Amino acid sequence: MTAPVIDNIAVEDAKPLTDAGAPATLWQIAWRQVRRNRLAMAGGAVIIILCLVAIFADVLMPLPYTKPNFGRLNEAPTRAYPLGTDQLGRDMLSRMIYGARVSMLVGLLSQVIIVAIGVPIGAVSGYLGGRADLVITRFIDVMYAFPRLLFVILVMSMLGAGLFNIFIAIGLTGWVGIARQTRAQVLTIKQKEYVEGARALGSRAGRLLFRHVLPNALTPIVVAVTFGIPEAIFTEAALSFIGVGINPPIPSWGQMVGEGQQYIRSYWHLCVFPSIAIAVTMLAFTFFGDGVRDALDPKMK
């Protein structure tokens, strides 16, 4: 039986194909769309560079980030110190490089915690429905009512400053949005014909949820994680700026901005360079996240 023809073009021939001639998957099609977006690719390139800097920070640092030089305090950028020195004579370039590791760790690991909390809660709520969904949804609404940054500051005040505590604080307060998105997707997908067919064939609830429902609900989760990383980085910068984030002498871009903002008129380099690093990182993830969203959203095609 031949394939149906529309305007002399076979439907099978109209499907996107890979280089090997096989039908392309959703993710392969999305990757093609992302590659056509120059801003998304530029953002992805910056993200890769930041990840490499974070991984190889110990090798790339010209000097130890804790080594002071009291003979060269608050020195402007020179050949010996390309980004200058801080109030204790420490190399700003070395501290900026190590600050990239802190920011990327906060952005990535906090999202792991957020997904680990938010996705199961949203999936269970949407799949079970009824009273269980009502109770979980009301709990999510109560959590959503709290101003997130103030909630994070409250948690950090209870736990104390520190990198590990920042992971916990951002994770405990940031799962609400992704839980709501997961619930909405599961409510829609569980009514699909292939899910009903699998249920009629005797598949158990756990298999239906993890084999048929959640894999098809990944699109908004991936987009949410892409936008959640820069949000977590900015939250860490804000916490470190007000003094409840990273403990000295570990450098953080937000901490460096907070320490240098009072000297902005005299020693501009103390907060300008960390601010630029935060801005570039936020823009890179935003551009890449926009590209991923456009590629995975069928309404954009």
Side-chain angles (χ1 to χ4, degrees), residues 20-201:
T25 65
L26 170 65
W27 302 105
Q28 290 171 331
I29 297 172
W31 172 237
R32 290 179 185 176
Q33 296 281 36
V34 171
R35 285 190 301 178
R36 295 172 185 168
N37 190 324
R38 294 183 178 180
L39 285 178
M41 293 304 294
V46 173
I47 292 171
I48 292 174
I49 293 173
L50 288 172
C51 290
L52 293 176
V53 170
I55 293 171
F56 299 105
D58 296 327
V59 178
L60 297 175
M61 286 188 302
L63 294 170
Y65 66 85
T66 57
K67 182 179 180 180
N69 187 345
F70 297 108
R72 310 187 73 167
L73 304 181
N74 296 319
E75 187 174 290
T78 61
R79 181 176 297 180
Y81 297 97
L83 298 184
T85 61
D86 65 359
Q87 303 92 325
L88 299 177
R90 296 172 295 190
D91 181 31
M92 285 284 292
L93 178 58
S94 300
R95 293 179 63 78
M96 288 281 295
I97 291 174
Y98 199 87
R101 173 179 289 182
V102 172
S103 295
M104 296 306 292
L105 279 175
V106 170
L108 294 174
L109 294 184
S110 63
Q111 290 305 303
V112 172
I113 299 175
I114 288 172
V115 169
I117 297 175
V119 171
I121 291 178
V124 170
S125 175
Y127 188 80
L128 293 180
R131 293 185 178 179
D133 180 37
L134 179 63
V135 172
I136 296 175
T137 302
R138 291 297 171 265
F139 175 68
I140 293 175
D141 291 339
V142 170
M143 293 293 297
Y144 195 77
F146 285 97
R148 184 181 175 187
L149 184 57
L150 293 179
F151 198 10
V152 172
I153 294 174
L154 176 63
V155 175
M156 288 298 298
S157 300
M158 296 174 58
L159 298 177
L163 184 60
F164 182 75
N165 291 342
I166 288 179
F167 297 153
I168 297 176
I170 296 177
L172 290 178
T173 58
W175 60 269
V176 179
I178 203 168
R180 297 179 73 177
Q181 290 181 336
T182 304
R183 173 184 174 272
Q185 285 294 111
V186 171
L187 283 173
T188 302
I189 295 173
K190 75 176 186 178
Q191 305 297 332
K192 298 293 184 180
E193 290 81 0
Y194 60 87
V195 177
E196 294 292 341
R199 184 181 292 112
L201 291 174

Side-chain angles (χ1 to χ4, degrees), residues 273-292:
F273 290 131
S275 299
I276 292 175
I278 295 173
V280 169
T281 304
M282 298 284 289
L283 280 175
F285 276 102
T286 300
F287 288 155
F288 186 73
D290 285 338
V292 172

